[in-house]
Amino acid sequence: PQQEQPGSVARRDLKFVLYARKSTDEDTKQVHSIEDQISTCQEYADAAGDINIVEIIKEQKSAKYSRNRPEFTRMIQGIKKGDYDAIIAYAPDRLSRNMLEAGEIIDMLTPTKERGSILLKDLVFPSATFGNDPGGRLSLAVMFSLATQYSEQLSERVALGHQKNLKRGISSGTPKWGYTRDEFSGHYVPSPIFDSIKECWKM
């Protein structure tokens, strides 16, 4: 368990929200599924013994662009209203892959004279260590930056791959009804249900 700072709220008294996200445009082989993330976070919380999860928020939206995730926005508003005090997520890149929302999280972790208190009182990752001090916030900013860079490079590689496929006459995207993609040529070819689809159109 974390050591309690003088005058701070004990972690066992904080209301944690568990945030799990999987983008619909991410390869399932590259990231943990939502249920895997939830299971890992819950096991971590059980082992810690002082992490009280009051709600689980699931989202299947990309974090590359800001203001693209309604559940993330709802979570941030809940923190500002006092519904939650802290977040547990599998890894920093589950929270953000864009610098606007990354900055918003870091700002809520930062004490300010105007606000009077820290909005986000704890941030926990089973896959990474975080301590809310200047060094910890700097490390978190670096992790968010790396996640943003990865997302941008992935988009560039995908776009380049599509362009190369088009030049070679290889299809991209999801085949239409009645067609499938040939494993060797990459071209669309009639699928086993092609004749049935054709008859349906005639009818």
Side-chain angles (χ1 to χ4, degrees):
Q2 283 188 340
Q3 291 185 346
E4 296 169 17
Q5 299 298 322
S8 65
V9 179
R11 189 163 80 169
R12 61 180 170 272
D13 296 326
L14 299 178
K15 294 172 290 187
F16 274 81
V17 56
L18 193 166
Y19 181 80
R21 178 190 67 82
K22 182 186 178 301
S23 173
T24 54
D25 60 3
E26 289 173 331
D27 189 337
T28 54
K29 295 179 181 177
Q30 295 177 6
V31 296
H32 289 270
S33 72
I34 285 180
E35 296 307 321
D36 286 343
Q37 293 174 48
I38 291 172
S39 176
T40 301
C41 288
Q42 287 178 325
E43 288 174 6
Y44 184 91
D46 290 342
D50 61 349
I51 296 177
N52 176 33
I53 298 172
V54 298
E55 186 173 352
I56 296 173
I57 291 180
K58 305 177 185 180
E59 190 140 52
Q60 293 197 31
K61 292 282 188 179
S62 173
K64 178 182 176 182
Y65 301 106
S66 62
R67 307 295 182 247
N68 183 50
R69 295 175 290 161
E71 291 301 302
F72 177 85
T73 299
R74 181 170 72 85
M75 178 179 69
I76 295 299
Q77 291 173 345
I79 292 168
K80 292 177 179 179
K81 290 189 297 182
D83 297 337
Y84 321 116
D85 304 307
I87 300 172
I88 179 170
Y90 176 73
D93 69 353
R94 297 302 88 197
L95 286 178
S96 180
R97 281 186 170 176
N98 70 82
M99 294 314 296
L100 179 63
E101 290 170 341
E104 190 171 16
I105 291 169
I106 292 172
D107 179 69
M108 291 194 299
L109 288 162
T110 307
T112 64
K113 184 184 295 185
E114 295 79 10
R115 196 160 52 217
S117 64
I118 299 172
L119 289 175
L120 185 57
K121 296 176 175 61
D122 204 355
L123 185 57
V124 174
F125 307 107
S127 64
T129 302
F130 171 73
N132 193 13
D133 54 34
R137 292 191 292 274
L138 175 61
S139 297
L140 183 64
V142 171
M143 287 188 279
F144 281 143
S145 297
L146 291 173
T148 300
Q149 182 188 35
Y150 169 81
S151 184
E152 291 174 349
Q153 288 179 338
L154 180 62
S155 295
E156 290 176 359
R157 288 196 298 268
V158 169
L160 182 62
H162 287 329
Q163 290 172 4
K164 287 183 177 179
N165 285 343
L166 287 172
K167 287 181 180 178
R168 293 166 56 197
I170 297 175
S171 60
S172 298
T174 304
K176 303 301 182 185
W177 287 355
Y179 291 88
T180 186
R181 183 175 289 106
D182 183 78
E183 182 179 349
F184 299 102
S185 70
H187 299 153
Y188 287 157
V189 294
S191 73
I193 64 167
F194 178 83
D195 290 334
S196 298
I197 294 292
K198 197 162 84 171
E199 288 302 313
C200 287
W201 278 111
K202 286 181 180 178
M203 294 169 64

